[in-house]
Amino acid sequence: MAHSQDSFQKSSGTAAAEQTAPDASARTPFHDLDRFIGLRRLGGLALSPDGRRLVTGVSELDAESTRYVTGLWEIDPDGKHPARRLTRGAQHVKDNRGESQARFTLDGDLLFVASRPQGDDDDAPSLWRLPAWGGEAYRVAEHPGGIGAVLTNAAQGTAVGTGSPEGTGEATPAAPASTVVVQASALPRAADLDAEKEGRKQRKDRKVNAILHDGYPVRFWDHDLGPDVPRLYVAEHADDSTADERAVLRDITPDAGRHLGETAWDLAPNGTFLVSAWMVPEGRGSQRTDVVRVDLATGERTTLLASDEEYEYEPVRISPDSRQLLFERWIRSTPERSARPELHLLDLESGDQRDLASGWDRWATGAVWLPDGSGLLVTADEDGRSPVFHLDAGTGRVLRLTDEGAFSEVVVAPDGSAAYALRASYEYPAEPVRLDLTGLGSLGDGGSVPVTRLISPVERPELPGRLTEVETTADDGARVRAWLALPETASAESPAPLLLWIHGGPVSSWNQWSWRWTPWVAVAQGYAVLLPDPALSTGYGQSFIDRGWGTWGDAPFTDLMAITDAVEAREEIDATRTAAMGGSFGGYMSNWVAGQTDRFKAIVTHASLWALDGFGPTTDASYYWAREMSEEMQETYSPHRYVDRIRTPMLVIHGDKDYRVPIGEGLRLWYELLSKSGLPQAEDGSTPHRFLYFPDENHWILTPQHAKVWYQVVLGYLAQHVLGEEPADLPEVLG
């Protein structure tokens, strides 16, 4: 249920909480943080094999407004009828996040993963089935380590039929059986699920959480790796089972160990095999990625693509006839050579490979086959957007199909007449759309297919301002572009203060809505927010990435300053009141900016890299960053070497569970700001710098009330140092 004033007051029960209840008079949700965190969010998309059912997930606040819970909703693919709710997750389960991993079977049933304890069962995520004919969902499979992912062979865009092709009299291959594969975490010494359950019980009862490692990595993003490891299981019914009984999980990767990792995999439409990335240790703390084929009947494993010093590989999508594999070949990076993905096709029968999109200067981020196997739809960042492209499987020709917006979760109707996707931009969060593909064959360069907005279970929020594009030219002649979000009141008579917001990555782009990095909350407070794509950003060609590779403090920094100069020259911008902020790599760049210029009134740095020689060995994937961060780069471009030049008040933000940029970076930054920065301290030893610390958050601030605190502290700090207001009163933080 969406957040409301009545429900907030009922759950809080205190006068202080009632004072922060949503302000019904606030003109947009971005003017009131309670209304903002209460906005529902859309994510994921699944299409039934017959093309008649489209399912997405909607996340909303629970009754206590302390976490988001996701339910599944069905959207009308024709756009005629309102969306309807399919599931409603258990409200009182510890750490419940609702339903996820929605997948259709070939029979049309809907599978999903959810924590719904029954009896004395624990709350480990299990596999649930919602029958095509309706009724209540029931649990079909569980694993003591919890089920993390599910795949079926109801591949989007694959038409499955029986009988004879019209007019030929020839029999078609029999329709494949519906196949389900799940990924779960298993203790390496457990021979079966009973041993698995007992092993976990012993560790829990004895309060043991120690892990003995024999390799690398040991952490990933926000969680420890081990002692359990990922395994893949075929979910199948026993011979004497009925439709309503639970499935049996048959382990097909009992010896996988850490090779599976948290990596990409795909299930063949014919239901007989899958392909997976396979992590291979190569010594000295490094690992490479191969691609393997796993037979579902026998578990036999075959290496399809073996990496070397030049290339690594990752599977993308198996073709509808199960005979070809689209894969990415990654050029392995060095301090002098940037990483680069290339799309290739592998013939699974002959082993022949070919480059599928030679000369296409973009990084593909998603792919789905057309039902007849003639081509694929892929997405890729381009010029501050992420369009859908058609990639011809025969000629390799690439054709852009859409104009505005960033598309994701693309699925294709079984007859190939339409595709469905989620579309977002900085003007609206993710919403479902239909792409008309009937004219695809006659579409020429520069054309686009019709895109229709479907009836979403989530409405577009009203914005507090307007969005425009800006660009400038860097000293080396490169074009630098950005989004600029302006408050409605910004004008020559009433210029707005400017907030430069630097994206993370670093190989990334500001091209679509983010709930974590929402400029409109600041716009509602009167700021103009600049979202630039400097060197290292995707969507402008490989050479634009190369401009900043291994030299983070050069072109990325000068690009940011150039686009800031250009925007400050606009009459609706107050160049005397500016601030800069960023997270992750954007935090690194904020730190770098602080040591290179004092042009900003305040700087906010979130989950930021501070000392590169400390970050490199302690992050969760040190071997990856070591390929780019030479000793010379660490010496030249580490922000901590310029701490004595920092004369700008800084707000440091970090979560203790951040393993990508470990908390040590934030702690060292905080201490060195106090002890070494060039900003004068008061006579009493106090400092204008601040440190916002989240003991239980990771690289992102995910829980609703912490997200609210994040925005409160950031906006309060900016108001004090940019607008000259009194320090904000923050009872939630100060106690």
Side-chain angles (χ1 to χ4, degrees):
M1 175 175 200
H3 191 62
S4 68
Q5 184 171 356
D6 289 341
S7 64
F8 181 91
Q9 292 177 337
K10 181 178 180 180
S11 62
S12 61
T14 66
E18 289 177 0
Q19 291 174 3
T20 61
D23 181 4
S25 66
R27 195 175 53 75
T28 76
F30 305 96
H31 287 86
D32 182 87
L33 288 175
D34 286 297
R35 287 181 63 192
F36 169 68
I37 66 171
L39 291 174
R40 300 192 299 170
R41 297 106 189 266
L42 200 86
L45 208 59
L47 183 66
S48 62
D50 61 8
R52 297 177 181 176
R53 302 181 65 199
L54 193 61
V55 172
T56 189
V58 177
S59 299
E60 54 192 340
L61 285 177
D62 66 0
E64 288 76 31
S65 299
T66 58
R67 60 183 175 182
Y68 293 104
V69 179
T70 301
L72 301 181
W73 289 68
E74 184 171 331
I75 298 168
D76 178 13
D78 295 327
K80 298 178 181 179
H81 305 291
R84 65 185 185 96
R85 186 164 194 156
L86 298 177
T87 66
R88 188 181 301 272
Q91 288 289 314
H92 302 290
V93 180
K94 179 182 178 182
D95 296 329
N96 173 52
R97 293 295 182 268
E99 291 80 33
S100 65
Q101 295 286 319
R103 301 286 187 270
F104 281 99
T105 68
L106 282 180
D107 305 319
D109 292 348
L110 181 64
L111 301 177
F112 60 87
V113 174
S115 297
R116 296 181 178 183
Q118 294 181 341
D120 296 330
D121 293 337
D122 61 25
D123 58 357
S126 301
L127 183 65
W128 293 73
R129 180 189 299 266
L130 185 62
W133 47 264
E136 293 294 325
Y138 59 91
R139 183 157 57 175
V140 293
E142 66 271 354
H143 189 284
I147 292 176
V150 58
L151 273 184
T152 74
N153 62 329
Q156 307 299 348
T158 303
V160 178
T162 58
S164 301
E166 186 175 354
T168 66
E170 300 176 359
T172 61
S178 188
T179 305
V180 178
V181 175
V182 300
Q183 185 187 59
S185 296
L187 296 174
R189 299 176 61 182
D192 53 40
L193 296 189
D194 289 337
E196 178 79 31
K197 189 172 184 177
E198 179 60 26
R200 290 180 181 276
K201 182 178 183 301
Q202 288 184 13
R203 283 180 62 88
K204 181 178 180 180
D205 291 346
R206 296 172 182 176
K207 301 188 184 304
V208 173
N209 57 12
I211 305 169
L212 178 63
H213 291 284
D214 61 0
Y216 189 86
V218 299
R219 305 197 294 184
F220 186 72
W221 280 115
D222 64 350
H223 58 275
D224 296 307
L225 300 180
D228 49 6
V229 294
R231 288 187 187 173
L232 298 176
Y233 300 81
V234 177
E236 54 192 11
H237 289 288
D239 292 339
D240 60 349
S241 69
T242 65
D244 290 340
E245 290 183 338
R246 295 181 180 181
V248 175
L249 296 182
R250 178 168 56 83
D251 191 351
I252 56 173
T253 56
D255 62 341
R258 296 205 177 280
H259 293 292
L260 278 175
E262 304 201 19
T263 55
W265 47 299
D266 193 31
L267 178 59
N270 66 13
T272 65
F273 68 95
L274 61 82
V275 294
S276 174
W278 195 256
M279 311 307 294
V280 180
E282 53 185 8
R284 299 195 176 277
S286 183
Q287 62 180 2
R288 67 178 192 267
T289 307
D290 295 349
V291 175
V292 300
R293 171 177 176 155
V294 180
D295 185 274
L296 298 192
T298 65
E300 180 182 358
R301 188 169 60 247
T302 306
T303 299
L304 300 176
L305 299 164
S307 58
D308 53 34
E309 293 182 357
E310 289 292 317
Y311 301 108
E312 288 188 271
Y313 303 93
E314 187 167 303
V316 179
R317 194 62 70 92
I318 301 170
S319 62
D321 61 7
S322 301
R323 295 178 179 176
Q324 298 184 90
L325 171 67
L326 177 73
F327 68 93
E328 283 185 332
R329 185 179 77 171
W330 282 85
I331 297 176
R332 294 182 67 163
S333 60
T334 69
E336 297 78 29
R337 182 181 64 192
S338 62
R340 186 175 307 183
E342 301 170 341
L343 290 177
H344 287 245
L345 272 181
L346 172 68
D347 188 305
L348 294 172
E349 296 179 353
S350 68
D352 293 340
Q353 302 179 31
R354 61 185 175 93
D355 187 347
L356 185 57
S358 179
W360 188 40
D361 199 11
R362 294 292 181 267
W363 286 33
T365 55
V368 59
W369 284 89
L370 295 177
D372 61 3
S374 63
L376 303 104
L377 300 185
V378 301
T379 57
D381 293 349
E382 182 167 272
D383 207 38
R385 291 125 176 113
S386 188
V388 177
F389 298 84
H390 174 255
L391 179 56
D392 190 291
T395 66
R397 182 193 182 204
V398 180
L399 194 64
R400 177 171 169 164
L401 302 184
T402 62
D403 295 323
E404 292 302 316
F407 292 76
S408 63
E409 306 289 340
V410 180
V411 293
V412 183
D415 62 0
S417 64
Y420 304 91
L422 297 183
R423 180 186 62 182
S425 80
Y426 276 104
E427 293 186 305
Y428 48 85
E431 59 186 20
V433 295
R434 181 179 66 247
L435 285 68
D436 185 350
L437 302 181
T438 55
L440 183 59
S442 58
L443 189 66
D445 293 333
S448 60
V449 300
V451 179
T452 302
R453 182 178 163 194
L454 300 177
I455 301 176
S456 174
V458 177
E459 295 182 356
R460 284 187 181 184
E462 180 185 356
L463 300 181
R466 61 189 187 275
L467 188 69
T468 187
E469 281 186 272
V470 294
E471 62 178 69
T472 191
T473 302
D475 290 341
D476 63 358
R479 169 178 171 260
V480 183
R481 65 155 299 283
W483 294 109
L484 178 62
L486 291 160
E488 293 177 349
T489 57
S491 65
E493 292 73 27
S494 180
L498 179 66
L499 177 57
L500 167 66
W501 208 327
I502 309 167
H503 72 60
V507 184
S508 183
S509 171
W510 285 127
N511 59 27
Q512 65 174 302
W513 190 279
S514 168
W515 291 105
R516 273 298 309 122
W517 312 110
T518 304
W520 299 112
V521 173
V523 172
Q525 300 302 312
Y527 295 92
V529 181
L530 178 62
L531 305 166
D533 279 350
L536 287 172
S537 297
T538 49
Y540 307 93
Q542 192 68 34
S543 62
F544 199 75
I545 296 172
D546 294 342
R547 289 177 63 239
W549 192 263
T551 58
W552 289 2
D554 283 345
F557 169 70
T558 56
D559 283 359
L560 290 170
M561 296 303 99
I563 194 70
T564 302
D565 289 340
V567 171
E568 285 183 348
R570 296 169 65 100
E571 62 179 8
E572 67 265 55
I573 300 299
D574 183 353
T576 67
R577 297 187 297 168
T578 62
M581 65 184 294
S584 194
F585 171 78
Y588 159 89
M589 189 53 66
S590 297
N591 295 337
W592 182 261
V593 167
Q596 305 301 313
T597 178
D598 59 0
R599 68 185 292 173
F600 298 103
K601 298 294 185 182
I603 290 177
V604 180
T605 178
H606 171 95
S608 64
L609 289 69
W610 173 241
L612 296 186
D613 60 345
F615 162 78
T618 59
T619 184
D620 60 350
S622 297
Y623 65 91
Y624 173 84
W625 298 102
R627 296 174 185 176
E628 179 181 1
M629 289 187 182
S630 65
E631 292 185 5
E632 180 182 0
M633 175 188 175
Q634 295 178 31
E635 177 72 25
T636 305
Y637 298 109
S638 186
H640 84 284
R641 301 188 184 281
Y642 301 93
V643 64
D644 60 320
R645 298 185 187 178
I646 295 178
R647 292 173 174 81
T648 305
M650 294 187 68
L651 170 60
V652 179
I653 308 175
H654 222 108
D656 206 304
K657 302 302 183 183
D658 185 352
Y659 296 163
R660 179 56 48 97
V661 183
I663 185 60
E665 292 295 290
L667 294 174
R668 180 172 176 178
L669 167 57
W670 176 237
Y671 176 72
E672 293 188 347
L673 278 179
L674 299 183
S675 62
K676 298 181 179 180
S677 72
L679 187 65
Q681 292 187 353
E683 292 183 0
D684 63 357
S686 61
T687 175
H689 300 307
R690 293 291 183 269
F691 182 23
L692 177 58
Y693 169 65
F694 292 95
D696 299 320
E697 296 284 357
N698 54 35
H699 198 61
W700 306 275
I701 309 302
L702 298 179
T703 58
Q705 296 302 323
H706 278 164
K708 175 183 171 181
V709 166
W710 190 95
Y711 280 106
Q712 284 178 323
V713 173
V714 169
L715 293 174
Y717 195 77
L718 294 177
Q720 178 184 354
H721 294 284
V722 178
L723 305 183
E725 298 180 0
E726 290 297 316
D729 182 21
L730 301 170
E732 294 91 342
V733 178
L734 300 176

